[in-house]
Amino acid sequence: MSSTQSNGLIHAILLDGKGGGQLLSWDEVLLWNASMGPLWVHCDYTDDRVQDWVRNDSGLDKLTAEALLTEETRPRTTNIGDGLLIALRGINLNPGSEPDDMVSVRLWADKERVISTRKRKLMSVEDIMQQLKASKGPTDSAGIVVGLASALVWRMSDTVDMYEDEISILEDRILTDSNEGIRFDLATL
């Protein structure tokens, strides 16, 4: 199973219920129905074809579609009917990036499918893809959401630990040094 981006489609996977899945093309996504099994469609929301599909062919209501395509997001979860609209952020671990330049992913998840959109690559999505390639991944829509959230938290741990270490150093400086410069260092951190 290899993942290639074509016309905004980063990957579409028909889950096999055993931890693996089959990659689908755009044409196959258009033919998908719930009786075929759980589907995960992951797209670049800046692509015109993706915008058209999300707005007109995905079956999502207008509010949900626009939330998946919006540039600005804040982390949140909203129940809408039988599904969840989720916006998550992760540490930017892309080469040459600053960790505080967060990368966001938007998701629609219901019992039959997950539609996720992004602009920049998120390593946590790649973690889930590697699990699926090894047939050790999520078996359903809920598993994709839980797996993605877990991967985001796991990938944040090193950065959070680094900040905690820097805070400890500042705490020690408060006890031993004059307070000059500490405010600036704390504000920067």
Side-chain angles (χ1 to χ4, degrees):
M1 178 186 333
S2 65
S3 176
T4 58
Q5 184 174 353
S6 172
N7 296 320
L9 178 65
I10 298 165
H11 65 249
I13 302 172
L14 183 62
L15 301 179
D16 64 12
K18 300 174 188 170
Q22 172 189 350
L23 283 174
L24 302 181
S25 68
W26 260 127
D27 290 338
E28 292 168 317
V29 168
L30 295 174
L31 297 173
W32 174 85
N33 65 63
S35 68
M36 298 168 72
L39 176 68
W40 179 20
V41 178
H42 185 59
C43 305
D44 179 344
Y45 72 82
T46 64
D47 184 87
D48 291 340
R49 181 165 185 184
V50 169
Q51 292 178 18
D52 182 60
W53 178 76
V54 168
R55 286 186 177 114
N56 302 313
D57 298 319
S58 67
L60 298 174
D61 65 66
K62 184 177 180 176
L63 176 69
T64 302
E66 291 307 314
L68 290 176
L69 300 173
T70 188
E71 177 79 24
E72 296 298 320
T73 61
R74 295 204 180 273
R76 66 178 178 189
T77 301
T78 306
N79 288 319
I80 300 175
D82 291 334
L84 288 173
L85 178 61
I86 306 166
L88 300 172
R89 288 186 184 165
I91 300 289
N92 190 346
L93 298 174
N94 294 314
S97 300
E98 293 295 321
D100 60 340
D101 179 22
M102 304 291 278
V103 178
S104 60
V105 62
R106 302 133 186 85
L107 301 105
W108 166 257
D110 59 30
K111 188 175 180 180
E112 292 86 24
R113 66 185 173 165
V114 173
I115 299 171
S116 56
T117 63
R118 59 87 159 157
K119 180 177 181 179
R120 294 181 290 171
K121 185 176 183 176
L122 189 61
M123 300 303 292
S124 297
V125 170
E126 296 302 314
D127 293 342
I128 304 302
M129 281 299 296
Q130 292 303 317
Q131 293 170 8
L132 287 165
K133 288 176 184 177
S135 295
K136 295 180 180 179
T139 59
D140 58 17
S141 296
I144 291 171
V145 173
V146 169
L148 185 56
S150 295
L152 285 166
V153 169
W154 180 78
R155 286 191 170 274
M156 286 181 193
S157 63
D158 288 342
T159 303
V160 171
D161 289 345
M162 177 196 67
Y163 284 130
E164 287 178 348
D165 290 346
E166 291 183 31
I167 289 170
S168 291
I169 291 168
L170 286 174
E171 287 175 342
D172 291 343
R173 281 182 50 202
I174 287 172
L175 297 174
T176 60
D177 297 346
S178 70
N179 288 338
E180 290 182 37
I182 292 177
R183 282 187 187 176
F184 176 76
D185 293 342
L186 184 59
T188 301
L189 179 61

